[in-house]
Amino acid sequence: MFSSLRSFTSLVLLVSPLIFCQSFVVTAAAKIENSQTNWFNDFKQQASDKQLYKFLYNMPKGADLHNHASGSNFPRWWYELAINSELNGGYRYYTKTKLTLCQGYGQNAFGYISPTLTFVTIAENIYKKLSACEQKNYTQLSSLTPKEIKAWEQSIWLDKDYEGRDEFFQTHWQRLNELANNPYIAAEMLVRNMKAFGNEGLIYLESQFNVTGFMTPNGKPQTQTAALNILKERLAQDDAKQTGVEVKLVYQLLRFTPNAEQQLTDIYKFVDQNRDLYVGINMVGREDNGKGHPLRFLSTLRELRQQYPAIALTIHAGEVDEPNFHIRDTLLLGADRIGHGVNLLGDPQTTLLMRHNHYLIEVNLISNLLLEYVDDFKKHPFPEFLRTGIPVALSTDDRGMFHSNLTDEFFIAVKTFNLSWQEVVTLSKNSLEYSFLDHPTKKAMLVKFDENINTFTQNFEQNGSSSLQKPAVLNQFIRRYYPQLTD
Ligand SMILES: [Zn+2]
């Protein structure tokens, strides 16, 4: 059926060492497609959406370089762990289900959260400090009715057309509230992500994961060291290792906070001391809040670079819907990767700088649509990056809050932009090539990916779609946008 496939896979094996040695060769999308990859064009034309999705779910992938630890967790996982005190370290949680007016209303212990926001979740130690009247507004999570559980889960994912950027930034994190401060849940969630991404064929996760802000069940601050040990112990368990997914972490700085420079200094020191697990630093937070503009951090970073050996930077930039020079300024900070880069084309000089260069853009198609930075996938600059030699990889950002996965990103990219096989493979290779892994590990990962993709294509050549497993999940985002996948 796909007669030229074997010769294509042989070609990949033959040229792999060359690709690895001259990374820029593979990062720039080929302008002239290899005629031996036409089997994928034939497949795309003949396959139903369901068959294409199944193919892409089974397809070996490289890495996800842009995913936030707490935003990557599905609402169902949050609920399961929140009510399971064996898995969550013995914490118990309550969530706000009523809005009865009490004396001192609005003067609660978490002043940054609107008192009229429902499904804000608090730990038991906070619940016990509330007045009797306020306590009546909360229900223990384990006592919610099935209808309430569904509503609670929907409150932390963008499941409605009218929900967008404000819902995401102003309510999701505030609702999760103290659930996101539990180091056992955070560690367990990372392993769940390893399993789910592993099922999709990924071999490496570079997750944005902090060990600050965690609390004990009694409401005492958890030290960074204690939280890091909880994580390391969880990652050392058999089920985590059996995923076959390598994990490294990136520390996030919330860029617009008043003491962000001091936090950056502390983070730099921490990452330097924990290079076995931490491979870089990111800066996060709404870019339309000007208090976190990139150049604010230039002098701090220059001081830090005088004291510490190099630490890699990947920084959110260009995740806005107006033109500015944030990407240029972020490169000036020393970033090797740019998160999102949606507004790059509005800055022609920086666009030229990034062509056939070594700065990768972490593209998050679903995030950019749901958070309203593009109003249609067709308007996303991704194909312009990919096809003019700007290195790109696909990633999932906060996929738990979008109810999506990396297969969905590939499916949308293939469907919307008619990706060739060479382009699909390039995206995965880029995700490994531009990772912050040390050189020997990166080399081993690239070899492993080549083996995986060659085995996959050979099986597919011999057995067609019968070589493919049914996807373990079909998430809500892709069900909503491509209802034909559920028929
Ligand atoms: Zn992000």
Side-chain angles (χ1 to χ4, degrees), residues 97-214:
T97 50
K98 298 188 194 74
L99 295 171
T100 308
L101 190 63
C102 299
Q103 194 173 15
Y105 190 65
Q107 305 298 311
N108 57 30
F110 11 92
Y112 65 97
I113 299 175
S114 165
T116 57
L117 188 65
T118 53
F119 294 128
V120 173
T121 297
I122 59 173
E124 189 171 49
N125 71 84
I126 298 287
Y127 173 80
K128 286 180 175 171
K129 290 177 193 159
L130 298 177
S131 68
C133 175
E134 271 288 358
Q135 283 184 348
K136 285 183 186 151
N137 281 331
Y138 288 83
T139 306
Q140 190 164 357
L141 265 186
S142 56
S143 302
L144 294 182
T145 64
K147 199 173 165 188
E148 287 171 330
I149 294 170
K150 191 174 176 197
W152 185 89
E153 290 180 3
Q154 287 176 327
S155 78
I156 49 172
W157 116 58
L158 296 175
D159 63 325
K160 311 274 188 328
D161 286 340
Y162 59 81
E163 292 177 340
R165 196 182 308 173
D166 288 340
E167 173 81 5
F168 176 80
F169 283 112
Q170 316 291 12
T171 74
H172 282 188
W173 311 96
Q174 291 78 354
R175 283 178 168 134
L176 285 175
N177 191 33
E178 289 173 10
L179 275 180
N181 299 340
N182 179 324
Y184 296 94
I185 290 182
E188 188 67 30
M189 289 289 197
L190 186 57
V191 175
R192 287 193 178 205
N193 272 299
M194 291 162 69
K195 290 176 184 173
F197 279 117
N199 288 341
E200 285 187 82
L202 272 82
I203 53 176
Y204 177 55
L205 267 185
E206 207 162 273
S207 295
Q208 295 169 51
F209 190 111
N210 285 14
V211 287
T212 28
F214 288 126

Side-chain angles (χ1 to χ4, degrees), residues 62-344:
D64 186 324
L65 296 180
H66 187 125
N67 58 92
H68 300 264
S70 51
S72 293
N73 309 328
F74 290 104
R76 170 51 44 140
W77 295 357
W78 280 115
Y79 188 74
E80 285 171 358
L81 294 183
I83 63 166
N84 187 334
S85 49
E86 272 182 34
L87 288 177
N88 76 19
Y91 297 64
R92 276 196 287 274
Y93 294 98
Y94 293 75
T95 195
K96 195 165 196 173
T97 50
K98 298 188 194 74
L99 295 171
T100 308
L101 190 63
C102 299
Q103 194 173 15
Y105 190 65
Q107 305 298 311
N108 57 30
F110 11 92
Y112 65 97
I113 299 175
S114 165
T116 57
L117 188 65
T118 53
F119 294 128
V120 173
T121 297
I122 59 173
E124 189 171 49
N125 71 84
I126 298 287
Y127 173 80
K128 286 180 175 171
K129 290 177 193 159
L130 298 177
S131 68
C133 175
E134 271 288 358
Q135 283 184 348
K136 285 183 186 151
N137 281 331
Y138 288 83
T139 306
Q140 190 164 357
L141 265 186
S142 56
S143 302
L144 294 182
T145 64
K147 199 173 165 188
E148 287 171 330
I149 294 170
K150 191 174 176 197
W152 185 89
E153 290 180 3
Q154 287 176 327
S155 78
I156 49 172
W157 116 58
L158 296 175
D159 63 325
K160 311 274 188 328
D161 286 340
Y162 59 81
E163 292 177 340
R165 196 182 308 173
D166 288 340
E167 173 81 5
F168 176 80
F169 283 112
Q170 316 291 12
T171 74
H172 282 188
W173 311 96
Q174 291 78 354
R175 283 178 168 134
L176 285 175
N177 191 33
E178 289 173 10
L179 275 180
N181 299 340
N182 179 324
Y184 296 94
I185 290 182
E188 188 67 30
M189 289 289 197
L190 186 57
V191 175
R192 287 193 178 205
N193 272 299
M194 291 162 69
K195 290 176 184 173
F197 279 117
N199 288 341
E200 285 187 82
L202 272 82
I203 53 176
Y204 177 55
L205 267 185
E206 207 162 273
S207 295
Q208 295 169 51
F209 190 111
N210 285 14
V211 287
T212 28
F214 288 126
M215 307 296 280
T216 68
N218 299 328
K220 302 257 179 346
Q222 183 82 264
T223 65
Q224 274 185 315
T225 306
L228 186 60
N229 286 340
I230 290 167
L231 176 64
K232 284 185 172 177
E233 281 172 22
R234 186 64 189 91
L235 291 176
Q237 289 178 20
D238 287 344
D239 64 330
K241 289 193 264 184
Q242 284 161 5
T243 62
V245 176
E246 176 87 13
V247 170
K248 295 290 178 190
L249 305 178
V250 169
Y251 221 104
Q252 308 174 96
L253 170 72
L254 192 56
R255 61 200 302 163
F256 49 70
T257 49
N259 67 341
E261 290 86 350
Q262 182 57 48
Q263 286 188 53
L264 177 59
T265 303
D266 296 341
I267 289 171
Y268 221 89
K269 183 178 178 187
F270 179 83
V271 170
D272 179 61
Q273 290 171 343
N274 293 280
R275 290 176 186 262
D276 56 331
L277 193 54
Y278 278 89
V279 292
I281 295 174
N282 205 324
M283 293 184 192
V284 306
R286 292 181 75 144
E287 276 182 72
D288 50 12
N289 181 339
K291 289 178 182 160
H293 72 97
L295 293 183
R296 172 178 170 181
F297 301 99
L298 187 58
S299 60
T300 306
L301 282 165
R302 286 183 172 164
E303 282 172 28
L304 291 166
R305 278 194 282 263
Q306 290 181 343
Q307 301 170 47
Y308 296 99
I311 291 176
L313 301 176
T314 168
I315 299 179
H316 288 65
E319 190 190 15
V320 283
D321 40 17
E322 69 266 356
N324 61 29
F325 297 101
H326 281 187
I327 298 174
R328 179 198 66 189
D329 295 349
T330 300
L331 293 175
L332 187 62
L333 292 185
D336 290 317
R337 301 199 317 245
I338 296 293
H340 298 285
V342 178
N343 77 347
L344 174 64

